[in-house]
Amino acid sequence: MFDAEKFVKEETEKLKEKLTDKAMIACSGGVDSTVAAVLAKKAIGNNLVAVYVDTGMMRKNETEEVRKMFENLGLNFKIINASEDFLTALENVTEPEEKRKIIGERFIRVFEEEAKKDGVKYLIQGTIAPDWIESGGGERDTIKSHHNVGGLPEDIGFEIVEPLRDVYKDEVRKVARLLGVESKERQPFPGPGLAVRIVGDITKEKVEVVREANAIMEGIIEKSADEGKIEKPWQYFATLLSSKTVGVHGDLRNYVYIVSIRAVQSLDGMSASYSKIPHEVLEKISIEITNKLGDKVNRVVYDITNKPPGTIEFE
Ligand code: XMP
């Protein structure tokens, strides 16, 4: 049985011993990196700086929410806007692993620049066990290179420290609750962000469409759960597919994109079963997406695949 209190105590001690100089943490605002940041702050106080990179692939209002959370946690932090950089690097890239590698590498480069400016020796990451297990190594097949592992170049200029390397999502949530981390009940969000929720090539316009579709999906699912109409799924999101289909917008024929919505039950993301959301709720989501994004999306489909065989994210 995982003992969160013991974990916090032991990990803080280990970090105190390990981190003899300034450290930086790559903090996305998600539960993993926030828990890692709070642990490191407990160990070395203001010798830690949390860096949040806005890759342009974030959810609606995410950057502002993260800023508030960092302020409330009393973290020493920086927010770097690198959206244009990431979009340019991803231009015309369609292969999922290539996207992940590019994003991982850009991330590290941005941190490297910041770390050099601040004279940092250590980079802390919120990597958890499924991230590196699924990124392959040894006998395991590479399913997906999680951005904080697979994208890591060989020649990084500082030492990587991963305090959550051996724990699973449900355990991180226990630690988050214990530490009073605000984002404790947020659903998981992949490191590469909305980039893996756009099948095929990424454009600014597609990012805006998928961002809005995700906001609609999240809003309706959360409201339905609050009203007791559904049990809140473990994860729920929208993906923009690469194919176009024929539809009607106003009185006119159009030929635009498909959005796939997905909701799953899972314990740790390693396996999952699709959520049996009532049609009434699915219909509401479909109508709102096509009403708001009607000139870009004319069809919404619900993904009824378990993991395996489908992974949770499409890429
Ligand atoms: P998959 O799609 O591999 O996802 O079934 C399992 C869980 O991991 C999340 N995910 C990621 N998390 N970095 C992360 O920190 C990543 O690169 C990444 N890719 C997927 C996914 O959202 C799901 O919760």
Side-chain angles (χ1 to χ4, degrees):
M1 186 65 184
F2 178 77
D3 182 341
E5 220 162 298
K6 186 161 165 252
F7 176 82
V8 169
K9 216 169 153 193
E10 287 177 359
E11 231 21 75
T12 310
E13 280 311 309
K14 272 193 226 163
L15 287 173
K16 251 185 213 163
E17 228 169 82
K18 173 91 206 162
L19 306 173
T20 54
D21 210 326
K22 280 191 189 166
M24 189 171 268
I25 176 151
C27 202
S28 65
V31 67
D32 304 343
S33 54
T34 308
V35 164
V38 175
L39 281 175
K41 183 186 148 68
K42 269 172 105 60
I44 59 166
N46 277 342
N47 249 350
L48 172 82
V49 57
V51 175
Y52 168 95
V53 179
D54 185 343
T55 62
M57 309 288 162
M58 327 307 293
R59 285 167 290 188
K60 201 172 174 180
N61 304 326
E62 188 157 20
T63 302
E64 275 324 296
E65 283 163 19
V66 168
R67 181 192 298 279
K68 274 187 216 139
M69 182 173 73
F70 286 174
E71 282 170 357
N72 291 340
L73 288 169
L75 288 171
N76 184 11
F77 72 92
K78 280 188 187 174
I79 292 185
I80 315 280
N81 186 346
S83 326
E84 289 302 324
D85 235 38
F86 276 79
L87 269 177
T88 308
L90 288 165
E91 221 165 17
N92 299 321
V93 179
T94 54
E95 211 281 312
E97 277 300 287
E98 203 182 331
K99 279 187 192 173
R100 285 175 170 271
K101 295 249 153 72
I102 290 170
I103 292 170
E105 189 152 338
R106 290 265 11 114
F107 250 102
I108 293 292
R109 293 297 167 225
V110 173
F111 288 120
E112 209 168 33
E113 275 165 35
E114 291 306 313
K116 273 193 192 129
K117 273 190 226 158
D118 287 3
V120 160
K121 191 163 169 213
Y122 303 97
L123 177 65
I124 298 167
Q125 290 197 327
T127 317
I128 64 170
D131 297 341
W132 62 265
I133 292 170
E134 292 207 343
S135 289
E139 301 283 296
R140 289 176 194 273
D141 185 31
T142 300
I143 299 170
K144 293 179 187 183
S145 306
H146 281 204
H147 86 274
N148 35 8
V149 187
L152 218 60
E154 304 271 292
D155 59 337
I156 43 170
F158 31 73
E159 199 179 328
I160 305 276
V161 179
E162 297 172 321
L164 305 177
R165 210 184 143 72
D166 294 322
V167 296
Y168 286 80
K169 201 88 202 181
D170 53 321
E171 297 168 340
V172 177
R173 290 219 165 110
K174 282 185 191 151
V175 177
R177 265 194 292 278
L178 184 70
L179 295 175
V181 170
E182 248 180 84
S183 72
K184 62 191 178 222
E185 299 306 341
R186 276 179 77 177
Q187 59 162 330
F189 187 62
L194 297 174
V196 295
R197 294 185 179 170
I198 296 170
V199 177
D201 74 304
I202 296 172
T203 62
K204 204 171 189 169
E205 188 189 43
K206 286 186 182 177
V207 177
E208 277 157 20
V209 170
V210 85
R211 179 179 287 128
E212 192 58 42
N214 270 279
I216 293 168
M217 175 75 178
E218 284 188 19
I220 294 178
I221 290 285
E222 283 162 15
K223 187 160 180 276
S224 306
D226 288 347
E227 289 169 354
K229 289 187 185 145
I230 57 167
E231 201 182 306
K232 195 164 151 195
W234 189 75
Q235 196 169 3
Y236 39 98
F237 58 92
T239 305
L240 186 67
L241 303 186
S242 55
S243 35
K244 292 182 175 178
T245 65
V246 173
V248 192
H249 184 51
D251 288 333
L252 299 174
R253 171 195 187 273
N254 67 1
Y255 183 58
V256 291
Y257 291 104
I258 308 170
V259 161
S260 167
I261 52 178
R262 181 150 171 75
V264 295
Q265 278 316 116
S266 179
L267 188 61
D268 54 17
M270 298 291 281
S271 62
S273 54
Y274 83 86
S275 303
K276 282 74 184 173
I277 305 279
H279 281 267
E280 173 203 329
V281 176
L282 292 176
E283 186 181 29
K284 213 185 246 181
I285 298 165
S286 160
I287 290 173
E288 196 164 329
I289 289 177
T290 48
N291 274 351
K292 265 217 176 126
L293 298 166
D295 54 337
K296 314 264 169 45
V297 176
N298 60 12
R299 199 173 295 276
V300 176
V301 295
Y302 188 53
D303 185 350
I304 54 168
T305 320
N306 297 330
K307 174 183 179 177
T311 51
I312 296 178
E313 304 288 347
F314 279 42
E315 291 202 337

